[in-house]
Amino acid sequence: MASSKVHGIQRVISKLASSINAGNYYEAHQMYRTLYFRYLGQKKYGDLLDLLFDGAVLLLRHDQQTSGADLAILLVDVLIKAEASISEDQFNKLSRLFGMISSDVPERETFLANALQWSVRESHEYKSGHPQLHQSIAQILWKEKNYVLARYHFLHSTDGFGCAAMLVELHRQRGYSSEVDLFIAQAVLQYLCLHNKTSAKDVFDSYTTQHPIIKKTGPPYILPLLNFIWFLLKVVESGKLAAFTVLCQQYQTSIERDPSYIEYLDKIAQIFFGVPPPRPRSQGLFGNLLQSFLSDLDELESEDESHSSHPRASTSRQHMETDELD
Protein backbone atom coordinates (compact mmCIF):
# COMPACT_ATOMS: atom_id res chain seq x y z
CA MET A 1 0.00 0.00 0.00
CA ALA A 2 2.75 2.42 1.00
CA SER A 3 4.72 1.46 -2.11
CA SER A 4 1.79 2.23 -4.42
CA LYS A 5 1.36 5.63 -2.80
CA VAL A 6 5.03 6.45 -3.33
CA HIS A 7 4.76 5.45 -6.99
CA GLY A 8 1.61 7.55 -7.29
CA ILE A 9 3.42 10.59 -5.92
CA GLN A 10 6.33 10.02 -8.28
CA ARG A 11 3.94 9.85 -11.25
CA VAL A 12 2.34 13.13 -10.25
CA ILE A 13 5.75 14.79 -9.82
CA SER A 14 6.87 13.46 -13.20
CA LYS A 15 3.71 14.82 -14.81
CA LEU A 16 4.29 18.19 -13.16
CA ALA A 17 7.87 18.33 -14.43
CA SER A 18 6.70 17.37 -17.93
CA SER A 19 4.07 20.13 -17.89
CA ILE A 20 6.68 22.70 -16.89
CA ASN A 21 9.19 21.49 -19.48
CA ALA A 22 6.45 21.65 -22.12
CA GLY A 23 5.73 25.23 -21.19
CA ASN A 24 2.35 24.54 -19.57
CA TYR A 25 3.24 26.66 -16.55
CA TYR A 26 -0.27 27.68 -15.56
CA GLU A 27 -1.47 24.07 -15.58
CA ALA A 28 1.53 22.98 -13.53
CA HIS A 29 1.03 25.76 -11.01
CA GLN A 30 -2.61 24.81 -10.51
CA MET A 31 -1.64 21.16 -10.05
CA TYR A 32 0.84 22.14 -7.35
CA ARG A 33 -1.83 24.15 -5.55
CA THR A 34 -4.27 21.23 -5.75
CA LEU A 35 -1.68 18.92 -4.22
CA TYR A 36 -0.97 21.52 -1.57
CA PHE A 37 -4.53 21.43 -0.29
CA ARG A 38 -4.71 17.62 -0.56
CA TYR A 39 -1.47 16.99 1.32
CA LEU A 40 -2.21 19.69 3.87
CA GLY A 41 -5.55 18.07 4.69
CA GLN A 42 -3.78 14.74 5.14
CA LYS A 43 -1.02 16.40 7.21
CA LYS A 44 1.69 15.01 4.94
CA TYR A 45 3.93 17.91 5.81
CA GLY A 46 7.26 16.34 4.90
CA ASP A 47 6.15 15.29 1.41
CA LEU A 48 4.43 18.62 0.90
CA LEU A 49 7.52 20.63 1.84
CA ASP A 50 9.62 18.67 -0.65
CA LEU A 51 6.96 19.04 -3.34
CA LEU A 52 6.60 22.79 -2.91
CA PHE A 53 10.35 23.43 -2.77
CA ASP A 54 11.04 21.43 -5.93
CA GLY A 55 8.08 23.03 -7.67
CA ALA A 56 9.11 26.55 -6.72
CA VAL A 57 12.66 25.94 -7.94
CA LEU A 58 11.40 24.50 -11.25
CA LEU A 59 9.04 27.40 -11.92
CA LEU A 60 11.59 30.03 -10.95
CA ARG A 61 14.21 28.41 -13.19
CA HIS A 62 11.76 28.87 -16.07
CA ASP A 63 11.30 32.51 -15.04
CA GLN A 64 7.76 31.97 -13.79
CA GLN A 65 8.34 34.45 -11.02
CA THR A 66 4.80 34.97 -9.71
CA SER A 67 3.93 31.24 -9.72
CA GLY A 68 7.27 30.26 -8.20
CA ALA A 69 6.97 32.89 -5.49
CA ASP A 70 3.44 31.68 -4.73
CA LEU A 71 4.71 28.15 -4.09
CA ALA A 72 7.52 29.56 -1.94
CA ILE A 73 4.96 31.40 0.18
CA LEU A 74 2.91 28.20 0.48
CA LEU A 75 6.05 26.39 1.63
CA VAL A 76 6.49 28.84 4.52
CA ASP A 77 2.80 28.44 5.32
CA VAL A 78 3.37 24.69 5.69
CA LEU A 79 6.41 25.28 7.94
CA ILE A 80 4.22 27.39 10.22
CA LYS A 81 1.23 25.04 10.25
CA ALA A 82 3.44 21.98 10.74
CA GLU A 83 5.27 23.78 13.58
CA ALA A 84 8.47 22.67 11.88
CA SER A 85 11.66 23.07 13.88
CA ILE A 86 14.18 25.59 12.63
CA SER A 87 17.20 24.01 10.97
CA GLU A 88 20.12 24.95 8.79
CA ASP A 89 18.64 22.91 5.95
CA GLN A 90 15.42 24.92 6.03
CA PHE A 91 17.34 28.20 6.22
CA ASN A 92 19.38 27.16 3.16
CA LYS A 93 16.22 26.31 1.20
CA LEU A 94 14.50 29.56 2.15
CA SER A 95 17.59 31.58 1.25
CA ARG A 96 17.91 29.80 -2.09
CA LEU A 97 14.29 30.57 -2.97
CA PHE A 98 14.67 34.19 -1.90
CA GLY A 99 17.71 34.53 -4.16
CA MET A 100 15.81 33.05 -7.10
CA ILE A 101 12.79 35.35 -6.76
CA SER A 102 13.35 38.57 -8.69
CA SER A 103 13.69 41.71 -6.59
CA ASP A 104 10.90 43.43 -8.53
CA VAL A 105 8.32 40.73 -7.67
CA PRO A 106 6.03 42.02 -4.86
CA GLU A 107 5.56 38.50 -3.46
CA ARG A 108 9.24 38.38 -2.57
CA GLU A 109 8.69 40.73 0.37
CA THR A 110 5.73 38.66 1.60
CA PHE A 111 7.77 35.48 1.36
CA LEU A 112 10.63 36.97 3.37
CA ALA A 113 8.37 38.47 6.04
CA ASN A 114 6.62 35.13 6.54
CA ALA A 115 9.91 33.22 6.61
CA LEU A 116 11.35 35.52 9.28
CA GLN A 117 8.16 35.20 11.31
CA TRP A 118 8.44 31.40 11.21
CA SER A 119 12.11 31.55 12.19
CA VAL A 120 11.36 33.09 15.61
CA ARG A 121 8.98 30.38 16.80
CA GLU A 122 11.71 28.52 18.74
CA SER A 123 13.92 31.50 19.49
CA HIS A 124 11.76 34.24 20.99
CA GLU A 125 14.80 36.34 21.92
CA TYR A 126 15.13 37.15 18.21
CA LYS A 127 11.98 39.17 17.72
CA SER A 128 12.83 40.25 14.17
CA GLY A 129 13.87 36.81 12.92
CA HIS A 130 16.65 34.28 13.41
CA PRO A 131 20.16 35.78 12.95
CA GLN A 132 21.26 32.93 10.68
CA LEU A 133 18.42 33.60 8.24
CA HIS A 134 19.10 37.35 8.40
CA GLN A 135 22.75 36.67 7.57
CA SER A 136 21.89 34.60 4.48
CA ILE A 137 19.42 37.22 3.26
CA ALA A 138 21.95 40.00 3.86
CA GLN A 139 24.54 38.22 1.71
CA ILE A 140 22.06 37.87 -1.17
CA LEU A 141 20.99 41.51 -0.98
CA TRP A 142 24.62 42.60 -0.84
CA LYS A 143 25.32 40.73 -4.08
CA GLU A 144 22.35 42.55 -5.60
CA LYS A 145 23.92 45.85 -4.45
CA ASN A 146 20.85 46.58 -2.33
CA TYR A 147 22.99 48.09 0.41
CA VAL A 148 20.15 49.58 2.44
CA LEU A 149 18.31 46.30 2.98
CA ALA A 150 21.54 44.30 3.21
CA ARG A 151 22.70 46.57 6.01
CA TYR A 152 19.40 46.08 7.87
CA HIS A 153 19.67 42.30 7.74
CA PHE A 154 23.36 42.32 8.69
CA LEU A 155 22.47 44.34 11.78
CA HIS A 156 19.95 41.68 12.79
CA SER A 157 22.47 38.90 12.24
CA THR A 158 25.60 38.09 14.20
CA ASP A 159 27.89 38.55 11.20
CA GLY A 160 29.82 41.67 12.12
CA PHE A 161 32.66 40.67 9.78
CA GLY A 162 30.36 40.43 6.76
CA CYS A 163 28.73 43.71 7.69
CA ALA A 164 32.15 45.39 7.87
CA ALA A 165 33.16 44.14 4.43
CA MET A 166 29.91 45.43 2.96
CA LEU A 167 30.32 48.83 4.66
CA VAL A 168 33.86 49.19 3.30
CA GLU A 169 32.57 48.50 -0.21
CA LEU A 170 29.59 50.83 0.27
CA HIS A 171 31.72 53.70 1.51
CA ARG A 172 34.29 53.32 -1.25
CA GLN A 173 31.61 53.27 -3.94
CA ARG A 174 29.09 55.80 -2.66
CA GLY A 175 30.50 57.70 0.31
CA TYR A 176 32.70 60.75 0.74
CA SER A 177 36.15 60.31 2.23
CA SER A 178 35.12 62.61 5.10
CA GLU A 179 32.39 60.10 6.03
CA VAL A 180 34.66 57.11 6.57
CA ASP A 181 34.16 57.25 10.35
CA LEU A 182 30.42 57.96 10.14
CA PHE A 183 29.73 54.73 8.23
CA ILE A 184 31.14 52.52 10.98
CA ALA A 185 30.08 54.61 13.98
CA GLN A 186 26.40 54.30 13.17
CA ALA A 187 26.68 50.54 12.63
CA VAL A 188 28.41 50.02 15.99
CA LEU A 189 25.87 52.15 17.84
CA GLN A 190 22.97 50.29 16.22
CA TYR A 191 24.46 46.89 17.06
CA LEU A 192 24.76 48.01 20.68
CA CYS A 193 21.16 49.24 20.69
CA LEU A 194 20.22 45.71 19.59
CA HIS A 195 22.09 44.30 22.63
CA ASN A 196 24.78 42.78 20.40
CA LYS A 197 28.15 43.70 21.93
CA THR A 198 30.06 40.95 20.14
CA SER A 199 29.03 41.94 16.62
CA ALA A 200 29.55 45.62 17.47
CA LYS A 201 33.18 44.87 18.29
CA ASP A 202 33.59 42.57 15.28
CA VAL A 203 32.27 45.14 12.81
CA PHE A 204 34.46 47.91 14.24
CA ASP A 205 37.67 45.87 14.37
CA SER A 206 37.14 44.45 10.88
CA TYR A 207 36.16 47.78 9.27
CA THR A 208 39.05 49.76 10.74
CA THR A 209 41.50 47.02 9.78
CA GLN A 210 40.21 46.50 6.23
CA HIS A 211 39.38 50.01 5.11
CA PRO A 212 42.32 51.40 3.09
CA ILE A 213 41.82 54.91 4.49
CA ILE A 214 42.14 53.69 8.09
CA LYS A 215 44.08 50.39 8.14
CA LYS A 216 44.73 50.35 11.88
CA THR A 217 44.24 47.60 14.44
CA GLY A 218 43.80 49.95 17.39
CA PRO A 219 44.04 53.52 18.71
CA PRO A 220 45.08 56.18 18.43
CA TYR A 221 43.11 56.88 15.26
CA ILE A 222 43.44 60.12 13.32
CA LEU A 223 39.67 60.66 13.45
CA PRO A 224 38.34 61.42 16.97
CA LEU A 225 35.03 59.64 16.35
CA LEU A 226 36.85 56.34 15.82
CA ASN A 227 38.69 56.82 19.11
CA PHE A 228 35.33 57.47 20.79
CA ILE A 229 33.82 54.27 19.40
CA TRP A 230 36.88 52.23 20.45
CA PHE A 231 36.67 53.56 24.00
CA LEU A 232 32.88 53.13 24.03
CA LEU A 233 33.20 49.41 23.33
CA LYS A 234 35.66 49.11 26.22
CA VAL A 235 33.42 51.06 28.59
CA VAL A 236 30.33 49.05 27.63
CA GLU A 237 32.25 45.90 28.47
CA SER A 238 33.22 47.33 31.87
CA GLY A 239 29.68 48.47 32.70
CA LYS A 240 30.96 51.56 34.55
CA LEU A 241 28.54 54.45 34.28
CA ALA A 242 31.03 57.08 35.46
CA ALA A 243 33.49 56.18 32.70
CA PHE A 244 30.67 56.26 30.13
CA THR A 245 29.56 59.70 31.31
CA VAL A 246 33.08 61.15 31.16
CA LEU A 247 33.68 59.59 27.74
CA CYS A 248 30.54 61.16 26.27
CA GLN A 249 31.45 64.54 27.72
CA GLN A 250 34.99 64.41 26.36
CA TYR A 251 33.83 63.51 22.84
CA GLN A 252 30.72 65.69 22.75
CA THR A 253 31.89 67.51 19.62
CA SER A 254 32.30 64.25 17.71
CA ILE A 255 28.96 62.93 18.97
CA GLU A 256 27.16 66.05 17.78
CA ARG A 257 28.20 65.41 14.16
CA ASP A 258 25.07 63.28 13.79
CA PRO A 259 21.88 64.08 15.78
CA SER A 260 20.93 60.40 15.87
CA TYR A 261 24.00 59.55 17.97
CA ILE A 262 22.44 61.17 21.04
CA GLU A 263 19.39 58.91 20.75
CA TYR A 264 21.54 55.82 20.26
CA LEU A 265 23.69 56.68 23.27
CA ASP A 266 20.59 57.29 25.38
CA LYS A 267 19.45 53.77 24.52
CA ILE A 268 22.90 52.30 25.14
CA ALA A 269 22.98 54.00 28.55
CA GLN A 270 19.67 52.36 29.43
CA ILE A 271 20.72 48.91 28.23
CA PHE A 272 24.24 48.63 29.61
CA PHE A 273 24.39 51.12 32.48
CA GLY A 274 20.89 51.06 33.96
CA VAL A 275 20.15 54.71 33.18
CA PRO A 276 16.37 55.34 33.23
CA PRO A 277 14.67 56.45 30.01
CA PRO A 278 14.80 60.22 29.51
CA ARG A 279 11.82 62.12 30.88
CA PRO A 280 9.93 64.72 28.85
CA ARG A 281 11.76 68.05 28.82
CA SER A 282 14.89 66.33 30.03
CA GLN A 283 18.30 67.93 29.77
CA GLY A 284 19.38 65.44 27.11
CA LEU A 285 21.86 62.62 27.22
CA PHE A 286 24.51 64.25 29.39
CA GLY A 287 21.96 65.60 31.82
CA ASN A 288 20.41 62.14 32.15
CA LEU A 289 23.79 60.49 32.67
CA LEU A 290 24.82 63.04 35.28
CA GLN A 291 21.49 62.75 37.07
CA SER A 292 21.74 58.95 37.13
CA PHE A 293 25.30 59.07 38.44
CA LEU A 294 24.38 61.57 41.15
CA SER A 295 21.41 59.41 42.12
CA ASP A 296 23.76 56.46 42.55
CA LEU A 297 25.96 58.59 44.81
CA ASP A 298 22.93 59.68 46.83
CA GLU A 299 21.99 56.04 47.36
CA LEU A 300 25.50 55.27 48.54
CA GLU A 301 25.38 58.19 50.98
CA SER A 302 22.03 57.03 52.32
CA GLU A 303 23.44 53.58 52.90
CA ASP A 304 26.42 55.11 54.69
CA GLU A 305 24.18 57.08 57.03
CA SER A 306 22.18 54.00 57.92
CA HIS A 307 25.44 52.15 58.69
CA SER A 308 27.26 55.07 60.35
CA SER A 309 27.79 53.03 63.51
CA HIS A 310 30.10 50.70 61.58
CA PRO A 311 33.71 51.94 61.88
CA ARG A 312 34.56 50.92 58.26
CA ALA A 313 31.49 52.53 56.60
CA SER A 314 33.23 55.72 55.43
CA THR A 315 36.22 53.82 54.08
CA SER A 316 33.96 51.37 52.16
CA ARG A 317 32.15 54.20 50.39
CA GLN A 318 35.42 55.78 49.33
CA HIS A 319 36.53 52.48 47.81
CA MET A 320 33.20 52.09 45.96
CA GLU A 321 33.43 55.55 44.44
CA THR A 322 37.03 54.93 43.41
CA ASP A 323 36.06 51.65 41.75
CA GLU A 324 33.21 53.38 39.87
CA LEU A 325 35.60 55.93 38.39
CA ASP A 326 38.31 53.40 37.39
Side-chain angles (χ1 to χ4, degrees):
M1 183 68 119
S3 178
S4 62
K5 285 184 178 180
V6 171
H7 289 306
I9 292 171
Q10 292 299 326
R11 283 197 301 271
V12 172
I13 293 174
S14 297
K15 185 177 180 181
L16 283 168
S18 298
S19 296
I20 292 175
N21 292 328
N24 299 322
Y25 303 120
Y26 177 80
E27 176 186 339
H29 182 213
Q30 294 307 309
M31 288 177 65
Y32 275 114
R33 289 190 64 87
T34 299
L35 288 172
Y36 162 76
F37 287 109
R38 183 182 301 173
Y39 280 31
L40 193 64
Q42 297 172 355
K43 296 185 177 181
K44 294 181 177 180
Y45 299 128
D47 291 337
L48 183 52
L49 288 171
D50 291 338
L51 182 74
L52 290 173
F53 177 75
D54 293 339
V57 169
L58 269 174
L59 287 169
L60 290 170
R61 278 178 178 169
H62 286 81
D63 201 29
Q64 299 302 299
Q65 289 289 324
T66 302
S67 298
D70 178 63
L71 295 189
I73 292 171
L74 291 180
L75 183 147
V76 178
D77 179 65
V78 175
L79 288 173
I80 295 172
K81 289 179 177 176
E83 297 183 352
S85 298
I86 58 175
S87 67
E88 186 172 354
D89 178 61
Q90 293 295 356
F91 287 154
N92 290 337
K93 287 181 177 179
L94 294 172
S95 301
R96 182 181 176 189
L97 291 175
F98 179 79
M100 295 182 73
I101 301 172
S102 177
S103 60
D104 58 0
V105 174
E107 288 81 2
R108 191 193 207 199
E109 184 176 343
T110 302
F111 166 72
L112 178 57
N114 293 351
L116 289 170
Q117 181 184 2
W118 164 75
S119 74
V120 303
R121 63 175 300 272
E122 290 185 355
S123 52
H124 297 294
E125 68 268 29
Y126 305 123
K127 296 180 181 179
S128 65
H130 197 281
Q132 188 174 343
L133 183 55
H134 275 295
Q135 179 182 359
S136 299
I137 299 302
Q139 293 285 348
I140 293 169
L141 292 166
W142 179 14
K143 290 179 182 177
E144 296 175 357
K145 304 304 180 186
N146 189 337
Y147 293 111
V148 174
L149 286 181
R151 186 181 183 282
Y152 168 83
H153 288 285
F154 269 124
L155 286 171
H156 287 84
S157 76
T158 55
D159 186 10
F161 299 106
C163 184
M166 186 212 67
L167 289 174
V168 170
E169 180 182 298
L170 175 59
H171 177 258
R172 297 188 71 187
Q173 291 189 6
R174 302 186 183 181
Y176 296 104
S177 58
S178 60
E179 298 174 328
V180 64
D181 52 347
L182 299 178
F183 272 60
I184 186 59
Q186 188 179 56
V188 171
L189 294 173
Q190 289 175 340
Y191 266 126
L192 290 175
C193 287
L194 292 168
H195 301 248
N196 193 343
K197 293 188 296 183
T198 301
S199 296
K201 184 178 186 306
D202 289 344
V203 73
F204 180 79
D205 290 345
S206 185
Y207 181 91
T208 53
T209 302
Q210 291 181 27
H211 202 297
I213 295 179
I214 305 171
K215 277 204 174 257
K216 287 206 68 177
T217 57
Y221 299 98
I222 296 175
L223 300 170
L225 184 59
L226 295 180
N227 289 313
F228 168 73
I229 295 296
W230 188 89
F231 283 119
L232 175 64
L233 291 168
K234 296 293 184 183
V235 170
V236 164
E237 198 62 43
S238 75
K240 295 179 178 179
L241 175 60
F244 178 70
T245 305
V246 171
L247 179 65
C248 291
Q249 290 173 339
Q250 290 295 318
Y251 284 92
Q252 186 168 0
T253 302
S254 295
I255 292 169
E256 289 175 348
R257 287 179 63 193
D258 188 328
S260 66
Y261 291 173
I262 299 294
E263 297 179 17
Y264 292 140
L265 290 167
D266 261 330
K267 185 67 175 178
I268 290 166
Q270 295 168 41
I271 295 170
F272 297 105
F273 302 99
V275 175
R279 298 176 182 177
R281 297 181 183 179
S282 69
Q283 297 178 351
L285 170 67
F286 304 112
N288 291 332
L289 292 174
L290 183 59
Q291 183 59 44
S292 179
F293 183 56
L294 292 175
S295 297
D296 289 344
L297 291 179
D298 288 341
E299 290 179 6
L300 287 173
E301 289 175 356
S302 298
E303 291 177 5
D304 289 340
E305 290 175 2
S306 64
H307 295 85
S308 58
S309 59
H310 196 294
R312 294 174 59 96
S314 177
T315 303
S316 298
R317 181 172 67 84
Q318 290 173 5
H319 284 309
M320 291 177 73
E321 290 183 8
T322 302
D323 290 341
E324 184 76 2
L325 291 167
D326 284 344

